Amino acid sequence: MDRDETHAPAAPTRPVVTGRPLPLRVAAPLAVAAGLALLVAFPPYGVWPLAPVGVALLAAATHRRRLRAGAGLGFLTGVALFAPLLAWTNLHTGYLPWVLLSLLQAGYLALLGAATAWVSPLVDRVRWSWPVLTGLLWVGQEALRDRTPFGGFPWGRLAFSQDTSPLLRLASLGGAPLVTFAVALLGGLLLTAAWHTLRPTDPTSTGPTVDSADAAPATGSSARRWAPVAVPAALAVALTAGALLVPVATAGSGATVTVAIVQGNVPRLGLDFNAQRQAVLNNHVDATLDLAARVAAGQQDQPDLVVWPENSSDIDPLRNPTAGARISQAADTVRAPILVGAVLLGPGAGQVRNAGILWRPGTGADMDQLYTKRHPVPFAEYVPLRDVARMVSKQVDLIRNDFVPGSTPGVVRVGPAVLGDVICFEVAYDAVVRDTVTGGAQLLVVQTNNATFDVAEARQQLAMVRLRAVEHGRPALMASTVGVSGFVAPDGRVSDATGFNTREVVVRQLRLDDGRTLATRLAWWPEVALAALAAAALVGAAVVRRRQRIMPG
């Protein structure tokens, strides 16, 4: 070393960010606890405050970890969440579909865990960015999971855990993505407050050390010392309470219609309900005839519309004269059009369609008011890559005929009302529901068949209907073969919910609505903006990491 260097003035000492993650023996249990907390936030448990707690636990576990460790911890959270949340998928199909689906969904939380670890340098530079970064990464993860592979599987979105939360009202402003962002933002605020006491220290560090660039000073007023805890906690309370101020419609502003939901039930739960096709159809016809008798006796209001669920006629009524005659008998007797959930043959050989078709009294099937499900479920209603899938499980051959998708939104014009019809899992997809509203729908209708699942799955689905009602300011209903069926007001309140595995008919007057919420008008832009910011945060973290590597020590 030469003389000049020896006597050169020392560079200013920079604070050293400790960079130590929580010990793995702590982080791994936190990751599992995160998944379990998220699970209990969803129906049938419905403890919605645990959703932000689960978000906070995962973020704490993965902060400052290497990418591989972050991914592993995220995967633990995913398995703890999705394995029990999706347990209804193994009730009648064996364990393999449940295991594969759960592991696939857990893989997306593994990506989230890696992304959370990746942005740690940004958090360490500006601790107050942590809540926003957490919210952005959750939206980005869900945007990816909702679309890939084979059209995605949006079950288990944070937004769908908030059906009884004040945050549900935010759906009217930015749909499910904004609700997810708010939940994750709350989790980030909770963690920002808790990290003040949880943060690990580095006893081997030399020179001044701080936990972040804006950590509270060791000296100063008591208020300044408690600011890192009090401020984010106060913001979390303010966000939750402030959501109550978001205006939502309590009822429609248009014409009033009387709608009947017929839940005919099935002889036996399970996959063999398909072998009971005639009995299921008869159950729905007979329940409708009973409704007509009560109307004739003055015990029940005359309905303007009757809604049957998905699979209420698995015998094609357009090709089978007996099935068509039975539906016509029901429509003629009740003196109201029936929206029938039917399986229709064609258009090609070996193909079928999952459809909602309007059956009018006196004239029968109205072929101009027919909706074909646009988003069939892969490996349940059709088998992509069948030869490859068969090598994994021979059970794919139980699906002999592939369901073909429809090409137009489910806008069904009844006369007194314009319906937005979506079938079963389609209620989880933002665009499928929104397209019916922008197409003129005044009443959202979800036709579903829960006979192969259980009451937990049905209640999770009803939570999605509640969010859609608030998102678009529309009255909504869910009609199931076995339950849960019921009506939902534009503010998300549920009325006349039925029991599970029972035959029930519920009738209610609904006030229609033609208006559009901000969420409907903005369409996908809130999600695009939030996902783009998430991508920018990942790029920003890369820049910070590069600068840290080249910074002279």
Side-chain angles (χ1 to χ4, degrees), residues 529-546:
L530 293 169
L533 289 172
L538 295 176
V539 173
V543 172
V544 173
R545 284 172 171 269
R546 183 174 182 274

Side-chain angles (χ1 to χ4, degrees), residues 109-282:
L109 288 197
L111 292 176
L112 175 64
T116 305
W118 178 256
V119 300
S120 295
L122 289 179
V123 173
D124 284 331
R125 283 205 163 201
V126 184
R127 178 57 45 78
W128 299 103
S129 69
W130 207 349
V132 174
L133 289 172
T134 302
L136 294 176
L137 293 180
W138 269 93
V139 173
Q141 174 266 140
E142 289 188 358
L144 182 64
R145 188 166 67 84
D146 297 351
R147 292 166 174 82
T148 60
F150 309 116
F153 187 68
W155 218 272
R157 297 169 76 177
L158 288 182
F160 296 151
S161 69
Q162 301 297 297
D163 59 316
T164 59
S165 162
L167 299 180
L168 182 69
R169 289 172 167 258
L170 298 176
S172 67
L173 302 179
L178 182 60
V179 178
T180 285
F181 177 76
V183 174
L185 180 70
L186 277 179
L189 288 169
L190 294 177
L191 179 55
T192 302
W195 195 261
H196 184 64
T197 56
L198 289 177
R199 65 180 186 267
T201 57
D202 188 354
T204 65
S205 177
T206 60
T209 64
V210 296
D211 185 61
S212 72
D214 61 345
T219 61
S221 69
S222 176
R224 292 189 67 186
R225 286 197 301 271
W226 281 102
V229 177
V231 172
L235 289 174
V237 173
L239 174 60
T240 306
L244 292 171
L245 302 178
V246 176
V248 294
T250 57
S253 57
T256 299
V257 296
T258 302
V259 183
I261 300 173
V262 173
Q263 178 179 301
N265 207 12
V266 301
R268 293 182 304 279
L269 297 174
L271 288 177
D272 65 343
F273 84 91
N274 287 299
Q276 312 163 53
R277 296 180 300 166
Q278 188 64 56
V280 174
L281 174 58
N282 288 340

Side-chain angles (χ1 to χ4, degrees), residues 349-385:
Q351 295 179 328
V352 290
R353 290 169 289 163
N354 192 348
I357 181 170
L358 195 67
W359 211 276
R360 298 187 185 274
T363 58
D366 185 343
M367 298 303 295
D368 292 329
Q369 304 303 322
L370 184 152
Y371 168 61
T372 299
K373 186 176 183 180
R374 297 167 64 193
H375 203 300
V377 180
F379 304 103
E381 293 179 312
Y382 76 101
V383 182
L385 308 174

